[in-house]
């Protein structure tokens, strides 16, 4: 591990919404990932750099020390914790309250989800979040066949691939545009700051003030 701090972010929503918090904490990212092809972005602070990774790779980078800290959605963190048997040993000091949405079950309007659940039917569920879905339906005593997808989940019920999907919903616009209805909410989602456990000890002098400054920015 280098002496400086490496912060893992994903492009898009999380990057955009983390920037103002970083700025308030005195960290300015000096390049725009939408126009630059660089994966390592310098900041105005000598010892602080940002690395751009896939949203679902952020916990992995932080867990194994490729980054000292990162920002990841509760969806990604919970899914990976379940996949690793309950915990990934990441320190999660802060809910940043950004990239807020919810994880929900959605179906075609003409699929009677309540009746299917009540009758104990097997339901085919397509999702990127197979661990969260498995846990959710098991807790309800609903039998499901899970189909793993990596994107465009809305298409699954429309093509007959699945009866239902488990996916993230914010405004509901994407569901409406595809004539799907939200039939159950599973959990509220927002992004969290995650910190490598070893870095927290070895780089405490650099990390602690940054975490505290971001915490202040969140509550401001
Ligand atoms: P990748 O493109 O790498 O496969 P992704 O498509 O999941 O990842 P994004 O869509 O940018 O990446 O989502 C990143 C994170 O933003 C998600 O893990 C979630 O926490 C949050 N997020 C996703 N969709 C929404 C949404 N509609 N509203 C608010 N936050 C969302
Ligand atoms: Mg994406």
């Amino acid at each position: 591990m280098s002496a400086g701090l490496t912060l893992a972010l994903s492009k898009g929503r999380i990057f955009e919404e983390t920037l103002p918090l970083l700025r308030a904490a005195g960290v300015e990212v000096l390049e725009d990932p939408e126009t630059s092809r660089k994966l390592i972005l310098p900041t105005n602070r000598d010892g602080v750099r940002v690395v751009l990774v896939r949203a679902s790779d952020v916990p992995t980078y932080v867990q194994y020390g490729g980054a000292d800290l990162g920002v990841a959605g509760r969806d990604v963190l919970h899914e990976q914790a379940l996949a690793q048997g309950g915990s990934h040993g990441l320190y999660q000091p802060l809910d940043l309250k950004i990239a807020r949405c919810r994880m929900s079950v959605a179906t075609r309007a003409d699929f009677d989800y309540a009746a299917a659940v009540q009758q104990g039917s097997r339901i085919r569920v397509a999702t990127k979040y197979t661990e969260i879905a498995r846990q959710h339906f098991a807790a309800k005593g609903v039998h499901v066949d899970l189909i793993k997808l990596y994107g465009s989940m809305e298409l699954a019920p429309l093509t007959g691939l699945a009866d239902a999907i488990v996916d993230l919903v914010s405004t509901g616009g994407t569901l409406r545009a595809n004539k799907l209805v939200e039939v159950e909410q599973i959990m509220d989602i927002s992004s969290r700051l995650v910190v490598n456990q070893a870095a927290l000890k070895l780089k405490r002098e650099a990390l602690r003030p940054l975490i505290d400054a971001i915490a202040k920015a969140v509550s401001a």
Side-chain angles (χ1 to χ4, degrees), residues 25-39:
V27 178
E28 297 267 358
V29 181
L30 298 177
E31 256 172 288
D32 177 1
E34 297 308 323
T35 55
S36 161
R37 290 182 180 206
K38 287 190 193 163
L39 296 175

Side-chain angles (χ1 to χ4, degrees), residues 10-11 13-14 54-55 73-76 99-101 128-129 168-170 189 191:
S10 54
K11 273 211 247 184
R13 199 173 340 242
I14 286 182
R54 284 288 287 268
R74 186 183 176 207
D75 50 326
V76 162
R100 296 176 93 138
C101 53
K128 180 159 112 180
Y129 304 98
L168 300 177
V169 181
S170 47
I189 304 291
S191 290

Side-chain angles (χ1 to χ4, degrees), residues 5 7 9 18-30 41-50 69 206 209-211 213-214:
L5 291 180
L7 167 67
L9 296 176
T18 301
L19 276 194
L21 297 175
L22 287 178
R23 194 169 297 134
V27 178
E28 297 267 358
V29 181
L30 298 177
L41 307 177
T43 74
N44 66 327
R45 295 261 299 268
D46 251 355
V48 183
R49 63 181 188 167
V50 167
L69 70 175
L210 181 59
I211 296 169
I214 295 172

Side-chain angles (χ1 to χ4, degrees), residues 140-158:
K140 281 175 59 94
V142 175
H143 297 287
V144 291
D145 291 318
L146 293 170
I147 301 172
K148 169 89 182 183
L149 289 179
Y150 294 89
S152 302
M153 260 69 76
E154 298 80 14
L155 202 52
L158 303 178

Side-chain angles (χ1 to χ4, degrees), residues 41-200:
L41 307 177
T43 74
N44 66 327
R45 295 261 299 268
D46 251 355
V48 183
R49 63 181 188 167
V50 167
V51 293
L52 295 174
V53 304
R54 284 288 287 268
S56 46
D57 289 337
V58 168
T60 309
Y61 268 81
V62 177
Q63 182 177 357
Y64 294 104
D68 301 298
L69 70 175
V71 177
R74 186 183 176 207
D75 50 326
V76 162
L77 290 167
H78 195 49
E79 179 71 14
Q80 295 205 2
L82 289 175
Q84 295 183 33
S87 164
H88 36 44
L90 293 170
Y91 175 53
Q92 298 185 35
L94 282 180
D95 180 353
L96 300 178
K97 304 195 172 129
I98 59 167
R100 296 176 93 138
C101 53
R102 55 195 183 271
M103 190 170 301
S104 297
V105 182
T107 67
R108 274 167 52 153
D110 59 7
F111 181 79
D112 194 341
Y113 176 72
V117 167
Q118 230 230 321
Q119 288 159 14
S121 315
R122 273 195 103 77
I123 301 176
R124 278 162 49 111
V125 179
T127 185
K128 180 159 112 180
Y129 304 98
T130 49
E131 296 300 326
I132 293 174
R134 191 188 323 284
Q135 192 193 45
H136 173 72
F137 292 109
K140 281 175 59 94
V142 175
H143 297 287
V144 291
D145 291 318
L146 293 170
I147 301 172
K148 169 89 182 183
L149 289 179
Y150 294 89
S152 302
M153 260 69 76
E154 298 80 14
L155 202 52
L158 303 178
T159 54
L161 179 68
D163 304 310
I165 59 173
V166 167
D167 200 8
L168 300 177
V169 181
S170 47
T171 63
T174 308
L175 291 182
R176 267 193 304 281
N178 290 292
K179 297 194 166 66
L180 299 179
V181 290
E182 189 177 1
V183 293
E184 197 163 73
Q185 298 192 5
I186 299 179
M187 64 172 84
D188 287 320
I189 304 291
S190 58
S191 290
R192 314 285 159 111
L193 193 68
V194 291
V195 182
N196 176 277
Q197 298 271 16
L200 190 64

